Amino acid sequence: MGLFFKKKKEEPVDGITPEIKAKLDEFAERGNHLEEENQYEKAIQAWQEGLALIPEPQQFYSETVWFLAAIGDVYFQQALYAKAHECFNKARGNLSGAGYQNPFIMLRLGQCCLEIGDEKNAIEYLLRAYMMEGKELFEPDEDGNDDGLKYFNYLKAHVEHIE
């Protein structure tokens, strides 16, 4: 006796619909604008609202990495390293691969680890960032902000053949 199974309608692989994507873009832009105006708490709030729109399980979507990195970066800039570490660590663990393969995420995670006293992981993540992007990643941006020389020198002191 043969049984016929009706194929279950498959859910879209990407659960982020065009409508959600448009809203995510709005929250991202709003957060970026607020950050530029030094309204950090409001920027974080906008990004958290965007993050809340991402379907569960959020760790499967690269968009999650974007919002976590934005929030974490503001925390890092404010020297709130434990909070920043939490954001970047979640971004690193994103199952889309977008976090672990991102040199900025690895850099910030390494910087946060060093600042909170986790030197072993600091070296690992800083080295990963260096291997992906080289010394340029540790240099100041065009505005002279985010000087990573401290972190590059730390890495150089703990890993052979870094120049």
Side-chain angles (χ1 to χ4, degrees):
M1 172 164 91
L3 295 175
F4 293 94
F5 294 99
K6 188 173 183 179
K7 187 173 180 181
K8 190 172 141 181
K9 185 178 176 185
E10 292 183 23
E11 294 295 319
V13 173
D14 188 354
I16 296 181
T17 64
E19 295 79 19
I20 292 173
K21 175 75 171 108
K23 288 180 183 179
L24 292 175
D25 290 344
E26 287 175 25
F27 282 113
E29 286 179 34
R30 184 182 322 149
N32 292 341
H33 178 73
L34 290 164
E35 180 187 19
E36 288 171 6
E37 293 182 349
N38 299 324
Q39 295 185 39
Y40 301 119
E41 291 303 316
K42 288 182 181 181
I44 289 170
Q45 182 179 357
W47 292 322
Q48 286 174 334
E49 289 178 38
L51 192 58
L53 292 178
I54 298 172
E56 292 292 342
Q58 290 183 335
Q59 70 265 26
F60 286 103
Y61 299 100
S62 61
E63 291 83 356
T64 303
V65 174
W66 306 341
F67 285 102
L68 288 170
I71 295 166
D73 196 42
V74 168
Y75 286 143
F76 182 83
Q77 297 298 331
Q78 295 179 322
L80 298 171
Y81 301 118
K83 284 184 172 187
H85 179 270
E86 183 179 333
C87 291
F88 287 112
N89 199 40
K90 283 181 185 176
R92 177 200 51 85
N94 187 276
L95 298 176
S96 73
Y100 207 64
Q101 299 169 5
N102 183 307
F104 178 73
I105 301 289
M106 294 294 102
L107 174 68
R108 280 290 191 254
L109 192 52
Q111 291 170 322
C112 290
C113 284
L114 186 60
E115 295 297 341
I116 63 173
D118 183 358
E119 293 184 19
K120 179 184 174 198
N121 283 319
I123 293 169
E124 177 187 341
Y125 295 125
L126 292 172
L127 183 57
R128 286 182 183 279
Y130 176 79
M131 291 172 62
M132 288 186 227
E133 288 289 318
K135 186 179 179 181
E136 299 81 35
L137 187 62
F138 293 84
E139 294 175 357
D141 64 17
E142 61 275 356
D143 297 326
N145 298 325
D146 193 25
D147 185 3
L149 188 59
K150 165 186 171 181
Y151 304 101
F152 181 76
N153 287 337
Y154 179 82
L155 182 62
K156 200 167 127 176
H158 290 84
V159 177
E160 290 183 32
H161 308 295
I162 300 283
E163 297 186 30

